[in-house]
Amino acid sequence: MGREQDDLLRRGIGMTSQRTRERLIQRLYEEGLTNTQVLEVIRRTPRHLFVDEALAHRAYEDTALPIGHNQTISQPYMVARMSELLLAAGPLDKVLEIGTGSGYQTAVLSQLVERVFSVERIKVLQDRAKERLVELNLRNVVFRWGDGWEGWPALAPYNGIIVTAVATDVPQALLDQLAPGGRLVIPVGAGEVQQLMLIIREEQGFSRQVLGAVRFVPLLNGPLA
Ligand code: SAH
């Protein structure tokens, strides 16, 4: 561990007590999230470094928080749930993430799978996220500034794809970029009516499961400088 990362992690413990973090983990566990590997990664990932300093004291509440540009850092429950769903059939090698945002979900994933490929449409958010991951020495992530509706075809196929914004329909490009047996976790819908879905590429076609109501910001069109 580098000196800088050491300092950062220490600062993390100073700013938000270990007890606050433990409480969050306990709460997630009580809500039915029992994948210990996922919970352990959430416990050790300093979420307060992914929000504005003014909001850092709320970073270990189980809630989404604003990150600017009308976007939010995902709720820890949702990050844990989506990570569990991705990993439920075994370890994953290549995972594509659509909607880097603050980079928090990216940071969690990067500690659970071999490699993460993360696409974001808002350049400034992506730049900040990149910096944070470097600070934390999480190096198995590659970033792309682009439109998540298109996925990242050049590096396909992926064993897992996670979308952290709600899509009006499942993007065809993402289905095309799933490896055999690959898993896509995606909120689908519009406005208040949104459902979390798990789609798996089977030998023939796709299986789909609807997993319950969720609340995400929309998956928009095109990259934004
Ligand atoms: N997981 C992120 C959540 C960010 S909110 C976090 O925990 O911080 C959703 C993100 O999806 C936003 O950053 C938004 O800019 C991005 N997004 C929306 N539409 C997109 C698109 N078409 N392509 C790529 N990213 C998109």
Side-chain angles (χ1 to χ4, degrees):
M1 194 186 286
R3 164 93 187 283
E4 217 171 289
Q5 186 185 15
D6 219 26
D7 287 349
L8 275 165
L9 293 176
R10 226 192 331 271
R11 179 147 60 90
I13 288 162
M15 281 177 67
T16 55
S17 73
Q18 200 57 34
R19 203 147 47 96
T20 325
R21 294 194 194 192
E22 291 303 330
R23 224 172 9 230
L24 172 63
I25 300 306
Q26 184 61 30
R27 178 171 166 166
L28 296 179
Y29 184 82
E30 283 163 9
E31 284 173 352
L33 300 165
T34 52
N35 182 322
T36 49
Q37 200 198 356
V38 171
L39 290 178
E40 187 46 42
V41 166
I42 289 188
R43 187 203 309 272
R44 69 171 181 241
T45 304
R47 188 168 183 257
H48 67 276
L49 299 182
F50 292 82
V51 295
D52 264 9
E53 248 171 85
L55 287 172
H57 66 289
R58 299 189 56 196
Y60 300 96
E61 292 175 16
D62 189 20
T63 172
L65 294 167
I67 55 170
H69 309 270
N70 286 323
Q71 305 305 321
T72 53
I73 182 173
S74 304
Q75 182 191 4
Y77 175 88
M78 204 39 71
V79 171
R81 179 103 203 278
M82 291 172 92
S83 303
E84 273 197 14
L85 287 168
L86 271 183
L87 292 167
L92 295 177
D93 164 14
K94 289 174 68 183
V95 171
L96 174 67
E97 176 188 50
I98 306 298
T100 316
S102 67
Y104 176 65
Q105 168 88 67
T106 322
V108 168
L109 278 176
S110 78
Q111 298 170 76
L112 292 165
V113 306
E114 289 289 318
R115 284 176 298 167
V116 181
F117 304 86
S118 191
V119 179
E120 170 59 52
R121 70 182 280 275
I122 302 179
K123 188 81 172 86
V124 283
L125 287 181
Q126 184 194 46
D127 289 343
R128 278 297 288 131
K130 254 189 209 173
E131 285 169 17
R132 292 180 177 119
L133 268 78
V134 169
E135 279 169 16
L136 294 171
N137 204 22
L138 299 170
R139 309 259 176 194
N140 57 340
V141 182
V142 219
F143 297 89
R144 174 180 158 97
W145 175 45
D147 185 354
W149 282 96
E150 292 163 14
W152 192 339
L155 301 176
Y158 305 94
N159 309 109
I161 302 181
I162 179 173
V163 183
T164 71
V166 63
T168 45
D169 300 291
V170 179
Q172 183 60 42
L174 300 186
L175 294 173
D176 294 343
Q177 290 167 34
L178 266 187
R183 304 163 73 82
L184 166 61
V185 179
I186 181 171
V188 181
E192 310 271 301
V193 189
Q194 306 180 6
Q195 294 285 343
L196 188 63
M197 292 190 69
L198 170 64
I199 299 172
I200 301 173
R201 180 186 279 265
E202 308 288 357
E203 260 173 55
Q204 309 245 304
F206 297 87
S207 68
R208 291 160 195 261
Q209 287 175 57
V210 178
L211 298 165
V214 287
R215 194 78 191 261
F216 282 85
V217 295
L219 189 68
L220 301 171
N221 285 305
L224 187 71

PDB file of all heavy atoms in Angstrom, residues 184-222:
ATOM      1  N   LEU A 184     -26.771  -9.331 -17.161  1.00  0.00           N
ATOM      2  CA  LEU A 184     -27.002  -7.885 -17.287  1.00  0.00           C
ATOM      3  C   LEU A 184     -27.956  -7.459 -16.181  1.00  0.00           C
ATOM      4  O   LEU A 184     -29.058  -8.000 -16.058  1.00  0.00           O
ATOM      5  CB  LEU A 184     -27.611  -7.586 -18.665  1.00  0.00           C
ATOM      6  CG  LEU A 184     -28.242  -6.209 -18.907  1.00  0.00           C
ATOM      7  CD1 LEU A 184     -27.224  -5.083 -18.749  1.00  0.00           C
ATOM      8  CD2 LEU A 184     -28.853  -6.149 -20.319  1.00  0.00           C
ATOM      9  N   VAL A 185     -27.519  -6.511 -15.337  1.00  0.00           N
ATOM     10  CA  VAL A 185     -28.369  -5.984 -14.268  1.00  0.00           C
ATOM     11  C   VAL A 185     -28.694  -4.546 -14.629  1.00  0.00           C
ATOM     12  O   VAL A 185     -27.794  -3.717 -14.777  1.00  0.00           O
ATOM     13  CB  VAL A 185     -27.652  -6.063 -12.906  1.00  0.00           C
ATOM     14  CG1 VAL A 185     -28.536  -5.480 -11.811  1.00  0.00           C
ATOM     15  CG2 VAL A 185     -27.298  -7.507 -12.578  1.00  0.00           C
ATOM     16  N   ILE A 186     -29.989  -4.262 -14.787  1.00  0.00           N
ATOM     17  CA  ILE A 186     -30.380  -2.965 -15.353  1.00  0.00           C
ATOM     18  C   ILE A 186     -31.758  -2.523 -14.852  1.00  0.00           C
ATOM     19  O   ILE A 186     -32.694  -3.316 -14.843  1.00  0.00           O
ATOM     20  CB  ILE A 186     -30.367  -3.049 -16.916  1.00  0.00           C
ATOM     21  CG1 ILE A 186     -30.747  -1.708 -17.546  1.00  0.00           C
ATOM     22  CG2 ILE A 186     -31.266  -4.168 -17.438  1.00  0.00           C
ATOM     23  CD1 ILE A 186     -30.546  -1.670 -19.057  1.00  0.00           C
ATOM     24  N   PRO A 187     -31.868  -1.260 -14.414  1.00  0.00           N
ATOM     25  CA  PRO A 187     -33.200  -0.723 -14.126  1.00  0.00           C
ATOM     26  C   PRO A 187     -33.885  -0.313 -15.436  1.00  0.00           C
ATOM     27  O   PRO A 187     -33.256   0.320 -16.281  1.00  0.00           O
ATOM     28  CB  PRO A 187     -32.925   0.504 -13.252  1.00  0.00           C
ATOM     29  CG  PRO A 187     -31.485   0.831 -13.433  1.00  0.00           C
ATOM     30  CD  PRO A 187     -30.796  -0.310 -14.120  1.00  0.00           C
ATOM     31  N   VAL A 188     -35.153  -0.703 -15.580  1.00  0.00           N
ATOM     32  CA  VAL A 188     -35.875  -0.409 -16.814  1.00  0.00           C
ATOM     33  C   VAL A 188     -37.196   0.271 -16.464  1.00  0.00           C
ATOM     34  O   VAL A 188     -37.869  -0.129 -15.506  1.00  0.00           O
ATOM     35  CB  VAL A 188     -36.160  -1.703 -17.618  1.00  0.00           C
ATOM     36  CG1 VAL A 188     -36.901  -1.383 -18.916  1.00  0.00           C
ATOM     37  CG2 VAL A 188     -34.870  -2.433 -17.936  1.00  0.00           C
ATOM     38  N   GLY A 189     -37.563   1.294 -17.237  1.00  0.00           N
ATOM     39  CA  GLY A 189     -38.831   1.973 -17.009  1.00  0.00           C
ATOM     40  C   GLY A 189     -38.698   3.454 -17.284  1.00  0.00           C
ATOM     41  O   GLY A 189     -37.797   3.887 -18.000  1.00  0.00           O
ATOM     42  N   ALA A 190     -39.604   4.227 -16.685  1.00  0.00           N
ATOM     43  CA  ALA A 190     -39.591   5.673 -16.872  1.00  0.00           C
ATOM     44  C   ALA A 190     -40.268   6.316 -15.679  1.00  0.00           C
ATOM     45  O   ALA A 190     -41.199   5.748 -15.107  1.00  0.00           O
ATOM     46  CB  ALA A 190     -40.310   6.046 -18.160  1.00  0.00           C
ATOM     47  N   GLY A 191     -39.790   7.494 -15.318  1.00  0.00           N
ATOM     48  CA  GLY A 191     -40.401   8.239 -14.220  1.00  0.00           C
ATOM     49  C   GLY A 191     -40.436   7.428 -12.951  1.00  0.00           C
ATOM     50  O   GLY A 191     -39.423   6.896 -12.499  1.00  0.00           O
ATOM     51  N   GLU A 192     -41.621   7.324 -12.354  1.00  0.00           N
ATOM     52  CA  GLU A 192     -41.769   6.632 -11.069  1.00  0.00           C
ATOM     53  C   GLU A 192     -41.826   5.120 -11.236  1.00  0.00           C
ATOM     54  O   GLU A 192     -41.679   4.386 -10.266  1.00  0.00           O
ATOM     55  CB  GLU A 192     -43.077   7.073 -10.392  1.00  0.00           C
ATOM     56  CG  GLU A 192     -43.270   8.576 -10.317  1.00  0.00           C
ATOM     57  CD  GLU A 192     -42.665   9.145  -9.042  1.00  0.00           C
ATOM     58  OE1 GLU A 192     -43.105   8.713  -7.969  1.00  0.00           O
ATOM     59  OE2 GLU A 192     -41.769   9.996  -9.137  1.00  0.00           O
ATOM     60  N   VAL A 193     -42.123   4.677 -12.451  1.00  0.00           N
ATOM     61  CA  VAL A 193     -42.327   3.242 -12.657  1.00  0.00           C
ATOM     62  C   VAL A 193     -41.065   2.603 -13.225  1.00  0.00           C
ATOM     63  O   VAL A 193     -40.808   2.640 -14.424  1.00  0.00           O
ATOM     64  CB  VAL A 193     -43.516   2.986 -13.623  1.00  0.00           C
ATOM     65  CG1 VAL A 193     -43.865   1.500 -13.654  1.00  0.00           C
ATOM     66  CG2 VAL A 193     -44.719   3.814 -13.200  1.00  0.00           C
ATOM     67  N   GLN A 194     -40.266   2.069 -12.309  1.00  0.00           N
ATOM     68  CA  GLN A 194     -38.991   1.486 -12.712  1.00  0.00           C
ATOM     69  C   GLN A 194     -38.840   0.129 -12.037  1.00  0.00           C
ATOM     70  O   GLN A 194     -39.171  -0.019 -10.870  1.00  0.00           O
ATOM     71  CB  GLN A 194     -37.817   2.366 -12.255  1.00  0.00           C
ATOM     72  CG  GLN A 194     -37.903   3.806 -12.696  1.00  0.00           C
ATOM     73  CD  GLN A 194     -36.687   4.612 -12.210  1.00  0.00           C
ATOM     74  OE1 GLN A 194     -35.735   4.064 -11.645  1.00  0.00           O
ATOM     75  NE2 GLN A 194     -36.719   5.904 -12.425  1.00  0.00           N
ATOM     76  N   GLN A 195     -38.307  -0.836 -12.783  1.00  0.00           N
ATOM     77  CA  GLN A 195     -38.088  -2.169 -12.233  1.00  0.00           C
ATOM     78  C   GLN A 195     -36.636  -2.574 -12.444  1.00  0.00           C
ATOM     79  O   GLN A 195     -36.076  -2.332 -13.515  1.00  0.00           O
ATOM     80  CB  GLN A 195     -38.968  -3.194 -12.957  1.00  0.00           C
ATOM     81  CG  GLN A 195     -40.455  -3.020 -12.746  1.00  0.00           C
ATOM     82  CD  GLN A 195     -40.910  -3.473 -11.358  1.00  0.00           C
ATOM     83  OE1 GLN A 195     -40.201  -4.202 -10.658  1.00  0.00           O
ATOM     84  NE2 GLN A 195     -42.095  -3.034 -10.956  1.00  0.00           N
ATOM     85  N   LEU A 196     -36.050  -3.179 -11.428  1.00  0.00           N
ATOM     86  CA  LEU A 196     -34.719  -3.736 -11.603  1.00  0.00           C
ATOM     87  C   LEU A 196     -34.858  -5.079 -12.320  1.00  0.00           C
ATOM     88  O   LEU A 196     -35.700  -5.888 -11.950  1.00  0.00           O
ATOM     89  CB  LEU A 196     -34.048  -3.935 -10.245  1.00  0.00           C
ATOM     90  CG  LEU A 196     -32.574  -4.338 -10.301  1.00  0.00           C
ATOM     91  CD1 LEU A 196     -31.733  -3.242 -10.947  1.00  0.00           C
ATOM     92  CD2 LEU A 196     -32.043  -4.643  -8.909  1.00  0.00           C
ATOM     93  N   MET A 197     -34.040  -5.288 -13.350  1.00  0.00           N
ATOM     94  CA  MET A 197     -34.114  -6.540 -14.110  1.00  0.00           C
ATOM     95  C   MET A 197     -32.765  -7.243 -14.141  1.00  0.00           C
ATOM     96  O   MET A 197     -31.721  -6.602 -14.170  1.00  0.00           O
ATOM     97  CB  MET A 197     -34.567  -6.267 -15.542  1.00  0.00           C
ATOM     98  CG  MET A 197     -36.002  -5.789 -15.620  1.00  0.00           C
ATOM     99  SD  MET A 197     -36.572  -5.754 -17.321  1.00  0.00           S
ATOM    100  CE  MET A 197     -36.621  -7.518 -17.686  1.00  0.00           C
ATOM    101  N   LEU A 198     -32.841  -8.581 -14.152  1.00  0.00           N
ATOM    102  CA  LEU A 198     -31.659  -9.410 -14.372  1.00  0.00           C
ATOM    103  C   LEU A 198     -31.899 -10.189 -15.657  1.00  0.00           C
ATOM    104  O   LEU A 198     -32.878 -10.939 -15.761  1.00  0.00           O
ATOM    105  CB  LEU A 198     -31.459 -10.377 -13.203  1.00  0.00           C
ATOM    106  CG  LEU A 198     -30.395 -11.462 -13.419  1.00  0.00           C
ATOM    107  CD1 LEU A 198     -29.002 -10.860 -13.581  1.00  0.00           C
ATOM    108  CD2 LEU A 198     -30.395 -12.462 -12.261  1.00  0.00           C
ATOM    109  N   ILE A 199     -31.023  -9.977 -16.626  1.00  0.00           N
ATOM    110  CA  ILE A 199     -31.160 -10.642 -17.927  1.00  0.00           C
ATOM    111  C   ILE A 199     -29.918 -11.503 -18.145  1.00  0.00           C
ATOM    112  O   ILE A 199     -28.799 -11.035 -17.964  1.00  0.00           O
ATOM    113  CB  ILE A 199     -31.309  -9.585 -19.043  1.00  0.00           C
ATOM    114  CG1 ILE A 199     -32.571  -8.750 -18.779  1.00  0.00           C
ATOM    115  CG2 ILE A 199     -31.354 -10.243 -20.423  1.00  0.00           C
ATOM    116  CD1 ILE A 199     -32.736  -7.566 -19.689  1.00  0.00           C
ATOM    117  N   ILE A 200     -30.152 -12.764 -18.485  1.00  0.00           N
ATOM    118  CA  ILE A 200     -29.015 -13.683 -18.663  1.00  0.00           C
ATOM    119  C   ILE A 200     -29.019 -14.225 -20.091  1.00  0.00           C
ATOM    120  O   ILE A 200     -30.070 -14.607 -20.610  1.00  0.00           O
ATOM    121  CB  ILE A 200     -29.093 -14.862 -17.657  1.00  0.00           C
ATOM    122  CG1 ILE A 200     -29.094 -14.310 -16.228  1.00  0.00           C
ATOM    123  CG2 ILE A 200     -27.933 -15.835 -17.856  1.00  0.00           C
ATOM    124  CD1 ILE A 200     -29.345 -15.355 -15.155  1.00  0.00           C
ATOM    125  N   ARG A 201     -27.846 -14.222 -20.715  1.00  0.00           N
ATOM    126  CA  ARG A 201     -27.756 -14.809 -22.058  1.00  0.00           C
ATOM    127  C   ARG A 201     -27.665 -16.332 -21.923  1.00  0.00           C
ATOM    128  O   ARG A 201     -26.666 -16.849 -21.425  1.00  0.00           O
ATOM    129  CB  ARG A 201     -26.553 -14.285 -22.840  1.00  0.00           C
ATOM    130  CG  ARG A 201     -26.473 -14.905 -24.248  1.00  0.00           C
ATOM    131  CD  ARG A 201     -25.212 -14.498 -24.973  1.00  0.00           C
ATOM    132  NE  ARG A 201     -25.332 -13.188 -25.576  1.00  0.00           N
ATOM    133  CZ  ARG A 201     -25.685 -12.982 -26.849  1.00  0.00           C
ATOM    134  NH1 ARG A 201     -25.952 -13.991 -27.634  1.00  0.00           N
ATOM    135  NH2 ARG A 201     -25.755 -11.762 -27.314  1.00  0.00           N
ATOM    136  N   GLU A 202     -28.726 -17.007 -22.329  1.00  0.00           N
ATOM    137  CA  GLU A 202     -28.774 -18.471 -22.246  1.00  0.00           C
ATOM    138  C   GLU A 202     -28.252 -19.054 -23.560  1.00  0.00           C
ATOM    139  O   GLU A 202     -27.938 -18.321 -24.489  1.00  0.00           O
ATOM    140  CB  GLU A 202     -30.227 -18.927 -22.022  1.00  0.00           C
ATOM    141  CG  GLU A 202     -30.929 -18.237 -20.860  1.00  0.00           C
ATOM    142  CD  GLU A 202     -30.428 -18.698 -19.494  1.00  0.00           C
ATOM    143  OE1 GLU A 202     -29.572 -19.605 -19.442  1.00  0.00           O
ATOM    144  OE2 GLU A 202     -30.896 -18.129 -18.482  1.00  0.00           O
ATOM    145  N   GLU A 203     -28.196 -20.395 -23.637  1.00  0.00           N
ATOM    146  CA  GLU A 203     -27.729 -21.020 -24.876  1.00  0.00           C
ATOM    147  C   GLU A 203     -28.561 -20.546 -26.063  1.00  0.00           C
ATOM    148  O   GLU A 203     -28.051 -20.302 -27.147  1.00  0.00           O
ATOM    149  CB  GLU A 203     -27.799 -22.540 -24.753  1.00  0.00           C
ATOM    150  CG  GLU A 203     -26.437 -23.114 -24.436  1.00  0.00           C
ATOM    151  CD  GLU A 203     -26.508 -24.591 -24.143  1.00  0.00           C
ATOM    152  OE1 GLU A 203     -27.030 -25.326 -25.012  1.00  0.00           O
ATOM    153  OE2 GLU A 203     -26.062 -24.994 -23.056  1.00  0.00           O
ATOM    154  N   GLN A 204     -29.874 -20.449 -25.810  1.00  0.00           N
ATOM    155  CA  GLN A 204     -30.776 -19.908 -26.848  1.00  0.00           C
ATOM    156  C   GLN A 204     -31.478 -18.701 -26.254  1.00  0.00           C
ATOM    157  O   GLN A 204     -32.260 -18.853 -25.321  1.00  0.00           O
ATOM    158  CB  GLN A 204     -31.834 -20.937 -27.198  1.00  0.00           C
ATOM    159  CG  GLN A 204     -31.281 -22.303 -27.518  1.00  0.00           C
ATOM    160  CD  GLN A 204     -31.534 -22.675 -28.953  1.00  0.00           C
ATOM    161  OE1 GLN A 204     -32.668 -22.682 -29.402  1.00  0.00           O
ATOM    162  NE2 GLN A 204     -30.475 -22.947 -29.697  1.00  0.00           N
ATOM    163  N   GLY A 205     -31.205 -17.557 -26.752  1.00  0.00           N
ATOM    164  CA  GLY A 205     -31.919 -16.363 -26.313  1.00  0.00           C
ATOM    165  C   GLY A 205     -31.539 -15.899 -24.915  1.00  0.00           C
ATOM    166  O   GLY A 205     -30.458 -16.197 -24.412  1.00  0.00           O
ATOM    167  N   PHE A 206     -32.484 -15.186 -24.291  1.00  0.00           N
ATOM    168  CA  PHE A 206     -32.217 -14.544 -23.000  1.00  0.00           C
ATOM    169  C   PHE A 206     -33.298 -14.914 -21.989  1.00  0.00           C
ATOM    170  O   PHE A 206     -34.464 -15.037 -22.350  1.00  0.00           O
ATOM    171  CB  PHE A 206     -32.219 -13.021 -23.163  1.00  0.00           C
ATOM    172  CG  PHE A 206     -31.138 -12.511 -24.070  1.00  0.00           C
ATOM    173  CD1 PHE A 206     -31.343 -12.427 -25.451  1.00  0.00           C
ATOM    174  CD2 PHE A 206     -29.910 -12.118 -23.558  1.00  0.00           C
ATOM    175  CE1 PHE A 206     -30.338 -11.964 -26.296  1.00  0.00           C
ATOM    176  CE2 PHE A 206     -28.909 -11.645 -24.390  1.00  0.00           C
ATOM    177  CZ  PHE A 206     -29.114 -11.571 -25.772  1.00  0.00           C
ATOM    178  N   SER A 207     -32.914 -15.071 -20.723  1.00  0.00           N
ATOM    179  CA  SER A 207     -33.928 -15.179 -19.677  1.00  0.00           C
ATOM    180  C   SER A 207     -34.011 -13.828 -18.976  1.00  0.00           C
ATOM    181  O   SER A 207     -33.025 -13.091 -18.911  1.00  0.00           O
ATOM    182  CB  SER A 207     -33.553 -16.272 -18.677  1.00  0.00           C
ATOM    183  OG  SER A 207     -32.417 -15.880 -17.941  1.00  0.00           O
ATOM    184  N   ARG A 208     -35.196 -13.497 -18.482  1.00  0.00           N
ATOM    185  CA  ARG A 208     -35.400 -12.190 -17.831  1.00  0.00           C
ATOM    186  C   ARG A 208     -36.117 -12.363 -16.510  1.00  0.00           C
ATOM    187  O   ARG A 208     -37.126 -13.056 -16.437  1.00  0.00           O
ATOM    188  CB  ARG A 208     -36.281 -11.288 -18.716  1.00  0.00           C
ATOM    189  CG  ARG A 208     -35.599 -10.834 -19.975  1.00  0.00           C
ATOM    190  CD  ARG A 208     -36.622 -10.371 -21.017  1.00  0.00           C
ATOM    191  NE  ARG A 208     -35.978 -10.282 -22.312  1.00  0.00           N
ATOM    192  CZ  ARG A 208     -35.530  -9.142 -22.836  1.00  0.00           C
ATOM    193  NH1 ARG A 208     -35.716  -8.009 -22.215  1.00  0.00           N
ATOM    194  NH2 ARG A 208     -34.913  -9.138 -24.002  1.00  0.00           N
ATOM    195  N   GLN A 209     -35.605 -11.714 -15.479  1.00  0.00           N
ATOM    196  CA  GLN A 209     -36.300 -11.709 -14.184  1.00  0.00           C
ATOM    197  C   GLN A 209     -36.539 -10.267 -13.761  1.00  0.00           C
ATOM    198  O   GLN A 209     -35.638  -9.443 -13.860  1.00  0.00           O
ATOM    199  CB  GLN A 209     -35.426 -12.340 -13.110  1.00  0.00           C
ATOM    200  CG  GLN A 209     -35.268 -13.833 -13.189  1.00  0.00           C
ATOM    201  CD  GLN A 209     -34.276 -14.297 -12.132  1.00  0.00           C
ATOM    202  OE1 GLN A 209     -34.457 -14.043 -10.952  1.00  0.00           O
ATOM    203  NE2 GLN A 209     -33.222 -14.964 -12.572  1.00  0.00           N
ATOM    204  N   VAL A 210     -37.739 -10.012 -13.262  1.00  0.00           N
ATOM    205  CA  VAL A 210     -38.063  -8.697 -12.729  1.00  0.00           C
ATOM    206  C   VAL A 210     -37.911  -8.764 -11.214  1.00  0.00           C
ATOM    207  O   VAL A 210     -38.478  -9.632 -10.562  1.00  0.00           O
ATOM    208  CB  VAL A 210     -39.504  -8.298 -13.122  1.00  0.00           C
ATOM    209  CG1 VAL A 210     -39.856  -6.941 -12.533  1.00  0.00           C
ATOM    210  CG2 VAL A 210     -39.637  -8.275 -14.642  1.00  0.00           C
ATOM    211  N   LEU A 211     -37.117  -7.852 -10.656  1.00  0.00           N
ATOM    212  CA  LEU A 211     -36.706  -8.015  -9.253  1.00  0.00           C
ATOM    213  C   LEU A 211     -37.273  -6.966  -8.304  1.00  0.00           C
ATOM    214  O   LEU A 211     -36.894  -6.927  -7.137  1.00  0.00           O
ATOM    215  CB  LEU A 211     -35.184  -8.006  -9.183  1.00  0.00           C
ATOM    216  CG  LEU A 211     -34.549  -9.152  -9.967  1.00  0.00           C
ATOM    217  CD1 LEU A 211     -33.082  -8.900 -10.187  1.00  0.00           C
ATOM    218  CD2 LEU A 211     -34.760 -10.475  -9.263  1.00  0.00           C
ATOM    219  N   GLY A 212     -38.134  -6.106  -8.815  1.00  0.00           N
ATOM    220  CA  GLY A 212     -38.747  -5.155  -7.884  1.00  0.00           C
ATOM    221  C   GLY A 212     -38.514  -3.709  -8.250  1.00  0.00           C
ATOM    222  O   GLY A 212     -37.654  -3.384  -9.077  1.00  0.00           O
ATOM    223  N   ALA A 213     -39.307  -2.845  -7.616  1.00  0.00           N
ATOM    224  CA  ALA A 213     -39.297  -1.417  -7.941  1.00  0.00           C
ATOM    225  C   ALA A 213     -38.018  -0.745  -7.442  1.00  0.00           C
ATOM    226  O   ALA A 213     -37.510  -1.075  -6.371  1.00  0.00           O
ATOM    227  CB  ALA A 213     -40.513  -0.751  -7.320  1.00  0.00           C
ATOM    228  N   VAL A 214     -37.495   0.175  -8.237  1.00  0.00           N
ATOM    229  CA  VAL A 214     -36.284   0.921  -7.887  1.00  0.00           C
ATOM    230  C   VAL A 214     -36.435   2.375  -8.319  1.00  0.00           C
ATOM    231  O   VAL A 214     -37.439   2.750  -8.949  1.00  0.00           O
ATOM    232  CB  VAL A 214     -35.027   0.314  -8.558  1.00  0.00           C
ATOM    233  CG1 VAL A 214     -34.644  -0.998  -7.900  1.00  0.00           C
ATOM    234  CG2 VAL A 214     -35.243   0.116 -10.066  1.00  0.00           C
ATOM    235  N   ARG A 215     -35.452   3.176  -8.000  1.00  0.00           N
ATOM    236  CA  ARG A 215     -35.480   4.597  -8.332  1.00  0.00           C
ATOM    237  C   ARG A 215     -34.099   5.049  -8.803  1.00  0.00           C
ATOM    238  O   ARG A 215     -33.178   5.097  -7.999  1.00  0.00           O
ATOM    239  CB  ARG A 215     -35.867   5.359  -7.054  1.00  0.00           C
ATOM    240  CG  ARG A 215     -36.262   6.769  -7.262  1.00  0.00           C
ATOM    241  CD  ARG A 215     -37.678   6.833  -7.795  1.00  0.00           C
ATOM    242  NE  ARG A 215     -37.985   8.183  -8.238  1.00  0.00           N
ATOM    243  CZ  ARG A 215     -38.658   9.055  -7.505  1.00  0.00           C
ATOM    244  NH1 ARG A 215     -39.093   8.736  -6.322  1.00  0.00           N
ATOM    245  NH2 ARG A 215     -38.883  10.258  -7.985  1.00  0.00           N
ATOM    246  N   PHE A 216     -33.971   5.336 -10.094  1.00  0.00           N
ATOM    247  CA  PHE A 216     -32.689   5.780 -10.654  1.00  0.00           C
ATOM    248  C   PHE A 216     -32.870   7.043 -11.493  1.00  0.00           C
ATOM    249  O   PHE A 216     -33.980   7.332 -11.952  1.00  0.00           O
ATOM    250  CB  PHE A 216     -32.096   4.693 -11.568  1.00  0.00           C
ATOM    251  CG  PHE A 216     -31.430   3.563 -10.836  1.00  0.00           C
ATOM    252  CD1 PHE A 216     -32.167   2.481 -10.365  1.00  0.00           C
ATOM    253  CD2 PHE A 216     -30.067   3.570 -10.615  1.00  0.00           C
ATOM    254  CE1 PHE A 216     -31.557   1.440  -9.690  1.00  0.00           C
ATOM    255  CE2 PHE A 216     -29.447   2.531  -9.937  1.00  0.00           C
ATOM    256  CZ  PHE A 216     -30.193   1.467  -9.479  1.00  0.00           C
ATOM    257  N   VAL A 217     -31.773   7.754 -11.728  1.00  0.00           N
ATOM    258  CA  VAL A 217     -31.793   8.860 -12.692  1.00  0.00           C
ATOM    259  C   VAL A 217     -31.788   8.248 -14.102  1.00  0.00           C
ATOM    260  O   VAL A 217     -31.348   7.117 -14.283  1.00  0.00           O
ATOM    261  CB  VAL A 217     -30.584   9.819 -12.515  1.00  0.00           C
ATOM    262  CG1 VAL A 217     -30.644  10.529 -11.170  1.00  0.00           C
ATOM    263  CG2 VAL A 217     -29.265   9.088 -12.670  1.00  0.00           C
ATOM    264  N   PRO A 218     -32.295   8.986 -15.108  1.00  0.00           N
ATOM    265  CA  PRO A 218     -32.444   8.385 -16.434  1.00  0.00           C
ATOM    266  C   PRO A 218     -31.135   8.174 -17.198  1.00  0.00           C
ATOM    267  O   PRO A 218     -30.188   8.947 -17.039  1.00  0.00           O
ATOM    268  CB  PRO A 218     -33.333   9.390 -17.181  1.00  0.00           C
ATOM    269  CG  PRO A 218     -33.219  10.671 -16.446  1.00  0.00           C
ATOM    270  CD  PRO A 218     -32.880  10.336 -15.026  1.00  0.00           C
ATOM    271  N   LEU A 219     -31.131   7.135 -18.002  1.00  0.00           N
ATOM    272  CA  LEU A 219     -30.066   6.909 -18.976  1.00  0.00           C
ATOM    273  C   LEU A 219     -30.367   7.827 -20.156  1.00  0.00           C
ATOM    274  O   LEU A 219     -31.384   7.666 -20.838  1.00  0.00           O
ATOM    275  CB  LEU A 219     -30.088   5.443 -19.419  1.00  0.00           C
ATOM    276  CG  LEU A 219     -28.923   4.977 -20.279  1.00  0.00           C
ATOM    277  CD1 LEU A 219     -27.619   4.947 -19.486  1.00  0.00           C
ATOM    278  CD2 LEU A 219     -29.190   3.586 -20.859  1.00  0.00           C
ATOM    279  N   LEU A 220     -29.489   8.831 -20.348  1.00  0.00           N
ATOM    280  CA  LEU A 220     -29.735   9.851 -21.363  1.00  0.00           C
ATOM    281  C   LEU A 220     -29.008   9.498 -22.648  1.00  0.00           C
ATOM    282  O   LEU A 220     -28.378   8.443 -22.745  1.00  0.00           O
ATOM    283  CB  LEU A 220     -29.293  11.216 -20.829  1.00  0.00           C
ATOM    284  CG  LEU A 220     -30.021  11.650 -19.538  1.00  0.00           C
ATOM    285  CD1 LEU A 220     -29.394  12.902 -18.945  1.00  0.00           C
ATOM    286  CD2 LEU A 220     -31.513  11.863 -19.798  1.00  0.00           C
ATOM    287  N   ASN A 221     -29.097  10.410 -23.616  1.00  0.00           N
ATOM    288  CA  ASN A 221     -28.492  10.136 -24.914  1.00  0.00           C
ATOM    289  C   ASN A 221     -27.237  10.961 -25.158  1.00  0.00           C
ATOM    290  O   ASN A 221     -27.210  12.145 -24.849  1.00  0.00           O
ATOM    291  CB  ASN A 221     -29.486  10.434 -26.035  1.00  0.00           C
ATOM    292  CG  ASN A 221     -30.542   9.366 -26.133  1.00  0.00           C
ATOM    293  OD1 ASN A 221     -30.221   8.183 -26.271  1.00  0.00           O
ATOM    294  ND2 ASN A 221     -31.780   9.757 -25.998  1.00  0.00           N
ATOM    295  N   GLY A 222     -26.234  10.309 -25.713  1.00  0.00           N
ATOM    296  CA  GLY A 222     -25.065  11.019 -26.221  1.00  0.00           C
ATOM    297  C   GLY A 222     -24.123  11.510 -25.153  1.00  0.00           C
ATOM    298  O   GLY A 222     -24.517  11.775 -24.022  1.00  0.00           O
TER     299      GLY A 222
END
